[in-house]
Amino acid sequence: MLLQQCYRPMDAGVLAVTVMVLEELKKKTNFYELFCNISQEAVEVAYNGMKQE
């Protein structure tokens, strides 16, 4: 999922480094996949779920 959302270099060596960095990032960071539609309610739920208090 994460690799699909980032820039993928054409150079194989640079791509390998990019994948390694993403793997390390995945180990240290929580990621969430959000599924919703474009309704106002969906916007509010997503916003309220992500904002920090």
Side-chain angles (χ1 to χ4, degrees):
M1 176 182 74
L2 189 57
L3 185 59
Q4 295 170 344
Q5 301 299 317
C6 71
Y7 173 73
R8 292 181 301 253
M10 298 296 285
D11 181 272
V14 179
L15 178 58
V17 172
T18 301
V19 170
M20 287 189 302
V21 169
L22 290 175
E23 289 298 322
E24 287 300 313
L25 184 64
K26 230 169 65 172
K27 291 176 187 175
K28 299 177 181 180
T29 309
N30 293 325
F31 286 90
Y32 303 91
E33 191 169 1
L34 178 65
F35 296 95
C36 63
N37 57 34
I38 59 172
S39 70
Q40 183 63 33
E41 180 184 18
V43 171
E44 292 170 5
V45 168
Y47 175 78
N48 290 328
M50 291 185 280
K51 75 177 179 180
Q52 302 270 332
E53 291 193 30

